[in-house]
């Protein structure tokens, strides 16, 4: 399993993505749209247009993890930022986002 260390940054994609994307598709979004290195060990989060699904991409030192969560009720309170491909968040904000 992967852990979030003190040096791990959390990047949240502002725009919705196609949730059919897997390892390679999310890798490309991080590299091309976020301008970040997918193998940096940072955590990258994505959501669909309706904000009912979330995917995370993270490198743990030996391979990439792709994790997903689907809400049965409600929507994720996804932040927005004009003219930004991604924003960063603190671990406490991540916990609030994931847990509603």
């Amino acid at each position: 399993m992967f852990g979030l260390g003190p040096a791990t940054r959390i990047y949240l994609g502002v725009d919705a993505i196609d949730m059919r994307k897997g390892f390679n598709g999310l890798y490309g979004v991080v590299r091309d749209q976020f301008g970040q290195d997918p193998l940096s060990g940072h955590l990258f989060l994505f959501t669909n247009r309706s904000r009912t699904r979330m995917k995370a991409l993270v490198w743990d030192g030996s391979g990439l993890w792709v994790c997903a969560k689907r809400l049965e009720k409600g929507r994720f309170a996804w932040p927005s930022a004009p003219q930004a491909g991604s924003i960063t968040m603190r671990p406490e904000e991540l916990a609030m986002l994931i847990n509603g």
Side-chain angles (χ1 to χ4, degrees):
M1 199 64 190
F2 61 89
L4 299 179
T8 303
R9 298 191 67 175
I10 302 164
Y11 292 92
L12 185 132
V14 176
D15 298 326
I17 65 157
D18 181 349
M19 281 295 169
R20 294 174 291 184
K21 289 184 185 293
F23 292 94
N24 293 334
L26 296 175
Y27 187 102
V29 170
V30 169
R31 185 190 60 222
D32 300 338
Q33 294 179 14
F34 292 12
Q36 298 293 326
D37 178 12
L39 305 180
S40 63
H42 299 311
L43 179 68
F44 302 95
L45 298 172
F46 310 91
T47 189
N48 62 346
R49 188 169 310 282
S50 63
R51 308 289 192 238
T52 57
R53 295 177 185 222
M54 176 191 308
K55 277 194 176 180
L57 178 75
V58 66
W59 172 261
D60 72 356
S62 64
L64 283 169
W65 283 85
V66 173
C67 303
K69 181 172 183 173
R70 180 186 73 195
L71 295 177
E72 294 300 322
K73 292 183 181 179
R75 298 172 189 261
F76 290 108
W78 210 258
S80 63
Q83 301 174 347
S86 68
I87 59 174
T88 58
M89 60 187 340
R90 298 186 318 270
E92 303 84 30
E93 293 173 313
L94 173 62
M96 289 187 294
L97 177 68
I98 291 173
N99 296 320

